[in-house]
Amino acid sequence: MLRILVLTICCIGFGSAANAQKVLLNFDVNPEWGNFSEVIEVWTKYLKAPTDSAGALYWNKAEVAQYGTEDYNLMNHEYNPSFHRLIKVYTAQILSITEEDGLYKITTQFYYPRNDTLMTLCIMNIYAKRENGKFKLYNARNIILKKDWATQTVGYLKYYYPSNHKFDEARALKQNLFITNTLPELFGCTPDTVNYYFAETRKQLDVLKGFEFNIGGSGTEKPSGKTIGNSVYTTGTDEYYPHELVHVFINPIYPDMHNWASEGIATYLGGSRGQSLQWHINRTGEYLNENPEIDLSNMLDLQTMDEYTDYRYVLGGAIIQLIHDKENCKGVKEFLSEATNDNKSYYAAIEKHLGWKQNEINKKFRKALKEMAE
């Protein structure tokens, strides 16, 4: 009982000094063990730092130099706004600290109470190691990559994948051709290096990033991807998943294009959830026939149809296909430049290229989807 009481006091001590950030210790994390107090201190100071740039003081110099004073913590790429800003509204509970060869893994849960439960954002691992006598923080990714992942370069693609995966060079060569031939021919893109991370399961990719748990992982395991700059992260896929490469090379050409236009062109050229645009059109047509109350004239207000098909992917992709069938690639390019971030411009671009006024979209789009279905 005395030991638990001492640890509880330590928890209160670390949490009470928080500035819009409460940091607690699990009852079996004893700051008196070894270097735990210094490890806890550097992690706590980082979490309580007012800005990402201020938090860089507690990060290792190599990663700050590589990624910059705002993005050195690669967890910033997972959330909007940045991870460091977002977690200010969550309680941070250090669940465990483990050490191996001077490298300390800090496992932390970020949550906030709601009603009678805890709303957990994530459980993540960050690492700490001495640098010039003081403990500094390290991303999990670079540590896990060296231990458990393999890498191979094919053309412009630098692949990273779990070491137990048998690499398919033919699929990789096909994807490199998408970069060197398909996209340049359609959009005049200049090929460039892409860091391509892929894994069979979301869990494998989450572990690489440093997550024990991350919100948004419920449902059936299915192909998915995410693009951050010139890096692609996919799960449930293999060496070939061109949807995300469209974002890498096309989004910079049309930086203001509407999200439905962005996902539409990516689905048209590269499919979605591991399935072709045609597959999604077929099932969406059936779903709309069964639900006549859905009004496509306000389609931009629609969210996901289900866990397999998102309206912005399938309907956005169908719009691109219809414009391409009517006006070829020239019309598609014009549409991408005209359908900007505001919804009004997206509907206006549809009217210009397909002749559909917004109040006509429901009737005409439903008809077009029936004709497109196979």
Side-chain angles (χ1 to χ4, degrees):
M1 174 66 80
L2 178 60
R3 179 169 176 262
I4 293 176
L5 179 60
V6 170
L7 291 175
T8 302
I9 293 172
C10 288
C11 291
I12 294 171
F14 274 99
S16 61
N19 178 20
Q21 173 63 67
K22 184 183 292 184
V23 182
L24 307 176
L25 305 183
N26 203 32
F27 68 91
D28 66 339
V29 178
N30 191 335
E32 296 181 2
W33 291 347
N35 296 307
F36 277 21
S37 62
E38 292 179 78
V39 172
I40 293 168
E41 180 182 24
V42 68
W43 182 222
T44 300
K45 284 183 175 180
Y46 168 77
L47 292 174
K48 294 182 180 180
T51 63
D52 285 295
S53 57
L57 178 65
Y58 310 105
W59 215 267
N60 71 88
K61 291 182 179 179
E63 290 182 328
V64 172
Q66 180 178 359
Y67 301 111
T69 57
E70 298 293 329
D71 293 323
Y72 53 88
N73 181 354
L74 298 181
M75 290 294 182
N76 275 356
H77 298 156
E78 300 299 316
Y79 302 105
N80 185 27
S82 74
F83 166 78
H84 191 269
R85 290 175 58 195
L86 182 64
I87 49 87
K88 296 300 184 184
V89 301
Y90 289 85
T91 294
Q93 182 185 27
I94 299 175
L95 299 177
S96 67
I97 300 173
T98 57
E99 183 268 341
E100 183 177 351
D101 297 330
L103 187 65
Y104 291 77
K105 182 172 76 173
I106 312 165
T107 303
T108 308
Q109 175 179 213
F110 292 91
Y111 71 88
Y112 69 88
R114 184 176 179 183
N115 298 328
D116 295 326
T117 188
L118 297 181
M119 308 300 289
T120 301
L121 173 70
C122 68
I123 299 173
M124 57 165 285
N125 297 319
I126 208 79
Y127 288 80
K129 186 173 66 174
R130 285 198 188 278
E131 181 180 272
N132 298 325
K134 293 184 178 181
F135 274 98
K136 299 292 183 178
L137 301 170
Y138 290 76
N139 288 292
R141 182 174 313 171
N142 295 329
I143 294 168
I144 302 299
L145 277 176
K146 293 177 182 178
K147 288 178 57 179
D148 303 320
W149 282 54
T151 183
Q152 189 159 335
T153 299
V154 177
Y156 287 96
L157 290 153
K158 188 169 185 179
Y159 284 98
Y160 300 88
Y161 52 94
S163 55
N164 62 355
H165 172 78
K166 185 178 179 180
F167 191 79
D168 190 333
E169 188 171 1
R171 299 278 286 175
L173 287 169
K174 180 181 178 182
Q175 180 145 274
N176 189 61
L177 285 174
F178 188 78
I179 294 175
T180 59
N181 292 3
T182 304
L183 292 179
E185 287 175 4
L186 294 175
F187 293 95
C189 307
T190 301
D192 201 355
T193 301
V194 175
N195 297 310
Y196 190 95
Y197 301 81
F198 73 93
E200 183 178 342
T201 67
R202 173 180 169 131
K203 179 64 177 177
Q204 289 174 304
L205 197 60
D206 277 350
V207 169
L208 173 68
K209 293 176 179 179
F211 290 113
E212 299 284 345
F213 164 82
N214 189 21
I215 194 169
S218 298
T220 306
E221 188 80 39
K222 65 186 76 65
S224 63
K226 183 176 183 179
T227 300
I228 302 170
N230 70 331
S231 295
V232 168
Y233 304 86
T234 69
T235 65
T237 65
D238 57 16
E239 294 78 1
Y240 185 77
Y241 192 73
H243 178 107
E244 297 304 325
L245 295 177
V246 177
H247 291 314
V248 172
F249 291 99
I250 303 304
N251 285 30
I253 299 175
Y254 305 98
D256 298 322
M257 69 175 160
H258 198 281
N259 181 253
W260 275 54
S262 174
E263 296 301 346
I265 187 62
T267 304
Y268 175 68
L269 294 175
S272 174
R273 299 294 193 196
Q275 300 290 346
S276 67
L277 172 60
Q278 186 62 57
W279 184 90
H280 289 283
I281 286 175
N282 293 344
R283 70 192 309 269
T284 302
E286 293 177 3
Y287 183 81
L288 291 174
N289 288 338
E290 295 169 0
N291 296 273
E293 74 283 359
I294 295 175
D295 185 4
L296 298 186
S297 295
N298 295 307
M299 61 182 178
L300 297 182
D301 296 332
L302 299 175
Q303 301 298 318
T304 183
M305 193 175 89
D306 57 25
E307 63 176 304
Y308 299 99
T309 299
D310 191 310
Y311 284 115
R312 59 185 166 153
Y313 293 78
V314 60
L315 298 183
I319 290 291
I320 296 293
Q321 181 171 322
L322 288 166
I323 294 173
H324 186 271
D325 290 345
K326 182 182 178 184
E327 302 177 341
N328 298 316
C329 196
K330 180 177 182 294
V332 172
K333 292 178 180 179
E334 291 177 0
F335 178 80
L336 296 179
S337 65
E338 295 160 356
T340 55
N341 289 323
D342 65 292
N343 292 351
K344 184 177 180 181
S345 71
Y346 189 85
Y347 287 122
I350 290 176
E351 182 175 352
K352 174 183 174 181
H353 292 276
L354 295 179
W356 302 350
K357 296 182 182 298
Q358 185 176 348
N359 61 4
E360 300 174 324
I361 289 178
N362 185 56
K363 181 179 179 180
K364 292 189 174 183
F365 205 174
R366 283 175 174 269
K367 181 177 182 293
L369 288 170
K370 286 182 181 179
E371 294 172 350
M372 297 168 77
E374 293 179 353

